[in-house]
Amino acid sequence: MSDTTTLICAQSVIWLVVFGLCAVIALLFQRVRGFYRRIAPLGALAPTAAAIDHLPATRLLSLSGREVTAGGSRDDGRPQLLVFVSGSCPVSRKMVPIINDFARREHLSLLYCGDESDEAQKRTIAALGLSENGFVNDPAIGRLLGVDRVPFAVLLDPTGAVQARGLVNNLEHLESLLGVQETGYRSLQGFMTANPQALAG
């Protein structure tokens, strides 16, 4: 066999391998896209139903004794983000600085909430680096909004209507709460259920 024939055969084998790899990559891409279509709805996960769809203006006392308002119409026209956390929850500790930055960047009115004794909440504030002025301790709010795990966030529009809610374990979960303003759906789960072809193409 001549050197030219050997070279041609080697190149043919290489091209066959390249085409085979392209086919495998295309197949993997299709599989990944199908898998992503299944998991994409998992934005902020809302595990339980809320008792209310609108939170009227509720006057509460922060741990510092200052009166704060959750829900209702807001004079500043900003959405309000209620975040339920616990000092004993490592995810809460991780998420607090992310939540603070997110609320500041998106111009949200931020209020932290909890459901423990005042003494425990003061330890929570110390552990999470929060201010007593922006933390309320009231179990009733959590029950109304269907909070059963933390960290849990509820996004209210400027009138107090619940726009989105769910567990927030990362920045993407927080960002998914704002998605309802563009899609009109309260969760990415609802949007993907109504639009199964959203990721097609």
Side-chain angles (χ1 to χ4, degrees):
M1 183 180 294
S2 67
D3 291 342
T4 302
T5 303
T6 302
L7 181 60
I8 291 173
C9 290
Q11 287 181 335
S12 298
V13 171
I14 290 172
W15 279 111
L16 285 174
V17 171
V18 169
F19 287 136
L21 286 173
C22 289
V24 170
I25 290 171
L27 181 60
L28 285 173
F29 179 76
Q30 291 284 17
R31 292 292 180 89
V32 169
R33 188 169 64 176
F35 180 67
Y36 181 70
R37 185 178 295 116
R38 292 182 181 180
I39 66 171
L42 295 179
L45 184 62
T48 59
I52 57 173
D53 291 327
H54 180 273
L55 182 64
T58 306
R59 296 186 182 280
L60 303 164
L61 288 180
S62 70
L63 287 183
S64 67
R66 183 173 70 96
E67 188 176 80
V68 296
T69 301
S73 296
R74 300 189 58 80
D75 295 335
D76 58 11
R78 292 192 299 165
Q80 186 175 39
L81 186 66
L82 306 181
V83 182
F84 297 79
V85 293
S86 170
S88 61
C89 170
V91 181
S92 293
R93 291 196 294 271
K94 177 195 80 171
M95 286 300 298
V96 162
I98 297 173
I99 292 167
N100 290 339
D101 181 68
F102 174 77
R104 184 166 47 252
R105 174 163 46 88
E106 299 297 337
H107 307 292
L108 304 175
S109 175
L110 177 61
L111 182 63
Y112 284 98
C113 307
D115 179 11
E116 295 176 311
S117 67
D118 285 352
E119 292 75 15
Q121 296 298 26
K122 289 184 178 180
R123 290 195 296 271
T124 292
I125 286 173
L128 300 180
L130 297 174
S131 166
E132 291 188 359
N133 288 329
F135 196 105
V136 298
N137 191 32
D138 192 318
I141 296 292
R143 285 196 296 268
L144 285 173
L145 296 172
V147 177
D148 62 354
R149 282 177 277 177
V150 294
F152 195 100
V154 180
L155 179 65
L156 306 174
D157 74 7
T159 70
V162 177
Q163 283 199 313
R165 50 185 288 278
L167 290 167
V168 286
N169 296 332
N170 52 51
L171 178 59
E172 287 73 22
H173 287 173
L174 287 168
E175 291 174 339
S176 75
L177 296 175
L178 295 179
V180 298
Q181 296 175 334
E182 300 175 0
T183 66
Y185 292 88
R186 288 194 174 181
S187 69
L188 292 182
Q189 291 95 324
F191 173 76
M192 293 302 299
T193 299
N195 300 273
Q197 302 304 315
L199 295 177

